[in-house]
Amino acid sequence: MESECEMMREENHSHSNNNNGGCCVFSDDELKDVSGVKRVGGDCVEVTCGCTSHRYGDAVGRLRVFSNGCLQISCECTPGCNEDNMTPSAFERHSGRETARKWKNNIWVIVNGEKVPLFKTVLLKYYNKVSKAASNTVRGCHRDEFIRCTECNKQRRFRLRTKEECRLHHDALADSNWKCSDHPYDKIKCENEEERASRRVYRGCTRSPTCKGCTTCVCFGCNICRFSDCSCQTCTDFTWNAKAE
């Protein structure tokens, strides 16, 4: 099954071909000082990127930026590394970066011979547009959820504000052996205290912080929390129904 980014890329490519051959993702002037630039058709550009770990040093990769906002990274940290089509967050974790969840700051590209964080470059302009649109569409629809550790039986919070966060929760929920050390956000051990019951009731509903479930904070499936590259029945059904509409 094609990944969601690949499907979006094909859709954009077909659309661009119907518009006098399409247009470049970025102008030559925008990318003139960026190292390792390679244009892949009219809807994608590829550049050299990396992420630095204080323990392991630099992990270098190739960042592909699509005009639909999709970002993919192929890792080149070692000659035998086969990690491809990773999200920026996955690449950040793969690099061994000690402080995760800040990939816009931690992943860099080389501009004028210097390492520059992604957020300071033009490379995120399409991603930011798509993220803003998605945020405006689903704000308040996904409340925080909890997953219980199979070793210590403590509940750990998952925030579901972005598609990336929803995917992390989705994959963790599917793991029958999920434990505290697998938590994607913070380095949590079973010895860490569980959130107090009085704190757990705050779930992120925009209508009421102590809401137990309403149409504002409970989502039954959308493009943010369902994934076309996932083979589970929930995602498969959603993708099939979305295509049929």
Side-chain angles (χ1 to χ4, degrees):
M1 183 179 293
E2 289 181 305
S3 70
E4 183 168 358
C5 280
E6 289 171 337
M7 294 172 67
M8 293 172 69
R9 181 186 175 191
E10 288 299 322
E11 181 179 344
N12 258 22
H13 188 64
S14 297
H15 179 74
S16 65
N17 285 340
N18 292 328
N19 286 277
N20 300 322
C23 60
C24 293
V25 183
F26 300 99
S27 68
D28 290 337
D29 189 58
E30 286 177 311
L31 301 176
K32 65 179 181 180
D33 298 320
V34 182
S35 294
V37 175
K38 178 183 177 182
R39 295 191 182 279
V40 185
D43 68 334
C44 176
V45 66
E46 188 175 284
V47 302
T48 300
C49 71
C51 189
T52 303
S53 163
H54 296 300
R55 178 179 297 179
Y56 303 110
D58 291 347
V60 179
R62 297 289 295 173
L63 168 66
R64 292 185 292 276
V65 181
F66 295 89
S67 59
N68 58 29
C70 183
L71 304 173
Q72 294 179 345
I73 296 178
S74 298
C75 186
E76 298 176 349
C77 60
T78 62
C81 183
N82 296 318
E83 294 293 341
D84 193 13
N85 296 338
M86 287 190 290
T87 64
S89 180
F91 177 66
E92 180 188 44
R93 293 193 301 273
H94 176 69
S95 72
R97 175 75 191 191
E98 290 79 5
T99 54
R101 294 190 66 207
K102 294 184 178 180
W103 61 264
K104 292 182 182 180
N105 298 68
N106 294 334
I107 295 178
W108 42 261
V109 295
I110 299 176
V111 181
N112 286 324
E114 299 289 335
K115 295 176 182 176
V116 178
L118 272 181
F119 82 94
K120 290 186 177 181
T121 73
V122 71
L123 294 168
L124 292 184
K125 73 175 182 180
Y126 296 106
Y127 174 86
N128 290 335
K129 286 180 182 178
V130 173
S131 295
K132 184 176 181 181
S135 177
N136 290 336
T137 301
V138 302
R139 182 175 291 123
C141 290
H142 298 95
R143 57 192 282 165
D144 294 357
E145 298 292 348
F146 291 85
I147 293 183
R148 193 177 294 277
C149 174
T150 57
E151 292 188 355
C152 68
N153 206 38
K154 294 176 182 175
Q155 294 189 84
R156 301 304 186 189
R157 182 183 295 268
F158 280 72
R159 296 178 70 254
L160 307 182
R161 302 295 189 272
T162 65
K163 190 172 185 69
E164 200 168 70
E165 290 176 337
C166 286
R167 184 57 186 261
L168 291 170
H169 171 259
H170 179 80
D171 291 347
L173 195 63
D175 184 357
S176 59
N177 296 311
W178 189 89
K179 50 190 179 298
C180 292
S181 58
D182 297 327
H183 200 285
Y185 305 146
D186 306 300
K187 294 188 180 302
I188 296 177
K189 298 180 181 179
C190 289
E191 291 75 20
N192 296 127
E193 289 297 322
E194 186 180 45
E195 280 191 28
R196 297 188 302 272
S198 59
R199 176 71 183 85
R200 285 202 304 273
V201 299
Y202 293 94
R203 301 287 286 274
C205 177
T206 57
R207 184 183 65 84
S208 170
T210 56
C211 174
K212 294 183 179 180
C214 70
T215 55
T216 299
C217 68
V218 176
C219 178
F220 294 98
C222 70
N223 288 323
I224 304 300
C225 62
R226 300 290 183 262
F227 310 94
S228 61
D229 63 335
C230 176
S231 60
C232 78
Q233 194 63 52
T234 301
C235 290
T236 301
D237 289 346
F238 177 83
T239 301
W240 177 264
N241 292 332
K243 288 181 178 179
E245 292 180 355

